Amino acid sequence: MDAQIVKAMRLMAVAVGLASATMVSAQLPERQAYAAKYKDWAIEEMERTGIPASITLAQGILESDCGRSDLAVEANNHFGIKCHSTWTGRTKYKDDDRRNECFRSYDSAFDSFRDHSDFLTGSKRYAVLFSYDKTDYVSWAHGLKSCGYATEKTYAERLIKIIEEEGLHIYDTAEGKQTTPDTYGKRTTKEDKTDDDSLTPRRAVGKAVFEINPLPPHEVMYNNGVRYVEVGNADTFESIATEFHLMTWELFKYNDLTADAKISDLTFIYLRPKRNRAHPDCSYHTAKAGDTMWSIAHSYGIKLRKLLRKNGMTQGEEPTEGQEIRLR
């Protein structure tokens, strides 16, 4: 072969390699942002079920394209889990291995993370995975592929690569709870942060700037998969609405509040619509003295009108002490 042709081919190969490296590098901020946003849920699920947090995060990054896929955006499905015969919830149809396949649709991303764990723990197909240590992400990755989670031949290798490139295995250890990705993709503990918690760590690629794990004044928590914050003495409906980019009327609607409601009467407030039923672990509530249908609905994260309907009650009707209130 002509020497000039060989040289040209080599130069082309180098150019392609550099382009590929640039593309991979450009994806790192989104991966870091995804890990920072969802690491707490992944760690929580690891403690609940034994599934490595690194595996959960890597699957979420890969399956949802860092939360940007149609399934993640439109159906809160971060793990590409299909309906299967046992699924009774909402659905979304899209082309995958076959045309117009059925995928699970969730009310929140939290529900997707929880169902991912339940999907793996509740199937005999994946039972062998739980014989591996939660720090052995390599065996978990290959085990997921062997058990048939995905049809892609390099699925295990891609998960392992994401985990190792982003250092996600740190979240499989006790140290992981106190660790967040910093602006350069390294790891830093809380002690390494500045004293100014108002500073938002950022990472730039070209002209794009990605905010990673901003820390708002209120800590966002979850009840029945619904975001909420605790109410402080200085809080108002307007201040909370402003902080979380909501309209004040949305807070009233999400919390089944009347126009004369006072925020000082609340200990916590929901930031998203409540669910149609309680968590599967909560089927009934035995009413105590002072309970109202609103207080029960609020405690379990259920829409008031749905709770009333489940119990054959009308607006304004209240439970009697000792009455069994159906939650699902």
Side-chain angles (χ1 to χ4, degrees), residues 124-157:
K124 292 181 180 179
R125 170 190 287 188
Y126 300 105
V128 67
L129 298 176
F130 296 90
S131 65
Y132 306 139
D133 191 273
K134 67 182 181 182
T135 60
D136 187 2
Y137 62 86
V138 173
S139 293
W140 271 85
H142 285 289
L144 281 166
K145 176 63 180 74
S146 298
C147 293
Y149 191 96
T151 57
E152 184 184 352
K153 292 182 179 180
T154 60
Y155 189 75
E157 289 74 16

Side-chain angles (χ1 to χ4, degrees), residues 69-78 80-81 92 94 103-104:
S69 70
D70 289 344
L71 270 179
V73 173
E74 298 172 11
N76 287 311
N77 188 331
H78 283 239
I81 299 179
K92 176 176 174 58
K94 70 181 294 290
F103 288 83
R104 301 182 182 190

Side-chain angles (χ1 to χ4, degrees), residues 200-234:
T200 300
R202 290 170 175 253
R203 180 173 179 176
V205 174
K207 295 182 178 180
V209 177
F210 300 90
E211 292 192 5
I212 299 177
N213 200 24
L215 300 175
H218 287 86
E219 179 185 1
V220 176
M221 293 170 282
Y222 290 82
N223 180 34
N224 198 23
V226 186
R227 288 158 54 95
Y228 76 91
V229 294
E230 294 182 346
V231 175
N233 293 332

